[in-house]
Amino acid sequence: MNRVVLAYSGGLDTSVVIHMLTHRYDADVIALTVDLGANENKNDAGMAEIAARARRIGAVDAVVLDTRREFVDDFVWPALQAGAIYEGEYPLATALGRPLIARHLAAVARRFGASAVAHGCTGKGNDQVRFDVTVGTLAPDLRVIAPIREWSLSRESALDYAAEHGIPVTATKRSPYSVDQNLWGRSIEAGILEDPWVEPPADVYQWTVDSSDAPREPRSVEIAFERGVPVALDGERLDGVALIGRLNELAGAHGIGRIDHLENRVVGIKSREIYEAPAATVLHRAHQALEDMTLTRDSARFKARVAIDYADLVYSGLWFSQHREDLAAYVASTQRYVTGEVRLKLSKGNCMVVGRRSAFSLYQHALATYDRGDKFDSKAAEGFISLFGLPQRTQARVQRGVAEPTAEAAR
Ligand code: ARG
């Protein structure tokens, strides 16, 4: 018997894959649906309904796992602490979910004694890379089957296949876009979005309102962090899943978190992607503000360089690489004093930091103030500047022929 565990989302492609695996690969399909909070903001079919659909299409078994907590604690928070934003734009929602799904695919394959895992990715995207590389890292003996890629199935032919074999696609309503979503954000691509000159039509967005429709009254939010992890919203302690869920709604209602990114895929092409990531946008902004206050300049500069590499690793499916883990250890160490509160103002698509405080603040009012109570030693500035400017004065004299001042002029 030929058992295969399939990463099943309930959408068109993976539904078609259940049927293909059963009939073209002669496999017994175990459908695995991993809940990453995709339904938090948009009420699609529930998880049980997705499992039932898998069975109806022909899966011999269907497993549903609620991994929201694990997703946030093990993937989202480390990425937030790292400041990981791909190419300065994309907070990496999809990219962070894939290694977690792949890890569970391998675990469920073990549980069911399966010899292979499968996914519904095309041969053109990043997700196939993330799945294949992760499974190859964690369970190299498992075969990875990618029917959509192997048969070069287009979206239209997947629809035809579904119609031909009576596979229900009503729940996905034949969306003109390809969508992937989890707690950390929503990724939308394909259809009219493939023309990078075309403004995304209104129906692309489901978590965010257009900024012109956002309330006129700004909304102020306060986020508390402990060691770089968000722990409370407006003074109320919340677990990560609840905090992100609530912030997605709050910030989305003010039109925050729309991203239109022309990005460089791992497979070498540029693609136009639309993202909605209200909570991620607010939390990255807030976290950065708290680091501005609690990290030294050197630490902040170095960490910003690490963030670029860290984001590239996540994007490229190298989450379980030693290198990503080493960088994560460095990042975790930098977060020891990133504790405090940040206040932001959400208004008409904008999210602005308007206040921050921390018991570990390196901003010291007594040093910064121009008012009475100034503890800064301005007298010491003279000697400091004299030595600070010494190399440049030396060069000017020796290499640029600037004359040394006469004794009187120097006075
Ligand atoms: N371009 C994004 C990424 O690579 C989003 C991918 C969305 N995936 C999807 N199957 N629609 O992370």
Side-chain angles (χ1 to χ4, degrees), residues 291-292 295-305 330:
E291 286 195 337
D292 290 346
L295 298 187
T296 64
R297 182 182 69 167
D298 288 349
S299 178
R301 297 289 156 85
F302 189 77
K303 189 169 178 288
R305 277 187 264 158
Y330 161 74

Side-chain angles (χ1 to χ4, degrees), residues 195-252:
D195 181 344
W197 180 247
V198 169
E199 182 176 346
D203 67 352
V204 164
Y205 299 107
Q206 300 204 357
W207 290 9
T208 56
V209 303
D210 191 277
S211 56
S212 62
D213 297 328
R216 200 125 56 86
E217 268 306 293
R219 166 72 149 87
S220 153
V221 286
E222 190 184 302
I223 296 159
F225 288 84
E226 280 172 13
R227 295 172 167 254
V229 171
V231 293
L233 183 61
D234 290 334
E236 184 187 349
R237 275 191 94 84
L238 292 171
D239 70 78
V241 173
L243 189 145
I244 293 171
R246 204 176 292 181
L247 204 49
N248 270 331
E249 274 176 26
L250 238 153

